[in-house]
Amino acid sequence: MDKKKIVIGSAIVAFSMMLSSFGFYFWQMIYSPNFLVEQDPKPLMIRTGHTFKDVQEQLYEGRYLNDLVSFSFLAKMMDYDQLVKPGLYLIEPGMTNVQVIRKLRAGDQTEVNVTFNNARLLKDLPEKITRNLEMTEQQFADLILTDSVRRAYGFDSLSFIGMFIPNTYKMWWNTKPADLLARLKKEYDKFWNAERLAKAETIGLSPKEISVLASIVQAETIQNDELKIVAGLYLNRIKRGIPLMADPTLVFASGDFQIRRVLNKHKKIDSPYNTYLNAGLPPGPINMPNINSLDAVLNYEKHKYLYMCAKEDFSGRHNFATNLIDHNRNAEKFQRAMNKAGIYR
């Protein structure tokens, strides 16, 4: 009888110890840090179409966690294996299984920066804009280079580049191409608020035409303090019916963006972008004008300048003139400097 009691007592003790151990493990499974222990924060990118198995492999191979078994067990208990959501998730050091599972299950993503600056051609944009996104360059290119899409947004193939306002935007990593395009149109509409629209109307140009002129102004000078002067100069020419004669439009018309010296032969190029042969603005922007350039046109400097020529010191600055005689003097000085420097194309 005593032996039976001893056996039973031993069994109870063993069972209690086992239960206690299991309870402690279960407690650790829920409350103990399991992710990036003594590591830095790390983004986890779950691609569209990935399964729970894919997530498990990524966590293990990427060394995100210490104990994959406990994570997998809890994830299934919390139905995450059936609720995998794509996106970019920032995993913080010392996170527990429950914290990570709740974050992933809720789709609690971290936004990424989508930054793009000046692009000369629309086809240059996809590489810049998709750099931090799940979508590929080709997926976005297929969308924006489609005529029906352009028309749906109120643009054509020549003016569409003006819809993209260079800036940094916060977005979800797994944003779809169509959603990205819709967001950028929203930013375009936000940029063209009542105040800017009123200024454009006062100038006598539409937002699309402002974009065209801003692209020329942007191509003419790298000096921010000259932007408004150059904008005022071209508006003076437009008001007087004088052709713009903007050299950057000839470079664009030629398709050779390595040209450093515009020659007389370039002035004969048969193109609607040739502002020596065609009066008024060209049919579309010659680059993607940034906010500074757009606002420079809207807030142009009032003066009497009609001509401009790069300074002979190659500083990137310009000499401005109100008459052709002074302009020719400036142009002669610049041509001599070009010849001396051996720049012939």
Side-chain angles (χ1 to χ4, degrees), residues 160-173:
F160 196 37
I161 192 172
M163 194 193 85
F164 302 92
I165 306 294
N167 211 335
T168 295
Y169 302 100
K170 294 283 188 181
M171 296 188 189
W172 302 128
W173 172 74

Side-chain angles (χ1 to χ4, degrees), residues 203 205 213 231-244 280-281 306:
I203 293 171
L205 298 178
L213 182 53
L233 184 154
Y234 281 125
L235 286 170
N236 285 343
R237 295 182 76 92
I238 290 173
K239 290 173 184 176
R240 298 191 184 194
I242 304 173
L244 298 185
L281 293 167
L306 291 172

